[in-house]
Amino acid sequence: MSDHNPECLFCKILAGEIPADIIYESDSAIAFRDINPQAPTHALVIPRKHIATINDIDVADQAIVGSLFSAAREIAAAEGLEDDGYRAVMNCNEAAGQTVFHIHLHLLGGRALAWPPG
Ligand code: 5GP
Ligand code: ZN
């Protein structure tokens, strides 16, 4: 796929080159459990298309980005988080703490989450 970036960790997970605990798959997105979970549920929802940061989201990517939230909602329901609540958040660039440059929605739940985040 032309959107594949061979240097990208999450593209490698998408290609099956690096193992991950995949819990959701659709035509446009997949989700897997974070390797260093910050809550009882901590999943990363990523598009199949390599998009480095929020700044790189094109108007044509709106359906793809929307599908990340649909995935998050479905996973939250499957994990029993719907009523208590959960957080879906995406970091952009260094000041926000982005470390993997393939956009990903963090889905966090299963405990009380402080606001504002650090
Ligand atoms: P960021 O800081 O970019 O918003 O989030 C990157 C996330 O990816 C971190 O929460 C980190 O624990 C997770 N992560 C980094 N490398 C791997 C990996 O190889 N596998 C999985 N499942 N998660 C990873
Ligand atoms: Zn990528």
Side-chain angles (χ1 to χ4, degrees):
M1 198 207 296
S2 60
D3 297 326
H4 178 86
N5 178 339
E7 309 298 322
C8 169
L9 176 66
F10 287 173
C11 282
K12 288 177 184 171
I13 287 177
L14 279 161
E17 293 165 19
I18 292 176
D21 185 2
I22 295 170
I23 57 172
Y24 175 93
E25 291 188 77
S26 74
D27 287 348
S28 58
I30 71 165
F32 48 88
R33 296 196 189 277
D34 196 293
I35 204 167
N36 182 23
Q38 301 301 311
T41 293
H42 187 176
L44 302 173
V45 188
I46 72 170
R48 290 189 185 275
K49 180 182 178 183
H50 178 85
I51 301 170
T53 78
I54 295 174
N55 296 333
D56 301 296
I57 296 171
D58 192 83
V59 173
D61 297 327
Q62 284 183 3
I64 290 173
V65 175
S67 78
L68 304 182
F69 283 92
S70 298
R73 182 193 171 180
E74 205 171 301
I75 297 160
E79 301 267 317
L81 301 172
E82 267 180 325
D83 291 341
D84 283 350
Y86 55 92
R87 184 168 294 158
V89 67
M90 190 178 288
N91 299 320
C92 182
N93 276 340
E94 193 178 348
Q98 186 177 5
T99 59
V100 178
F101 289 86
H102 179 135
I103 59 168
H104 46 282
L105 200 54
H106 291 262
L107 171 63
L108 296 146
R111 67 171 173 83
L113 298 164
W115 190 264

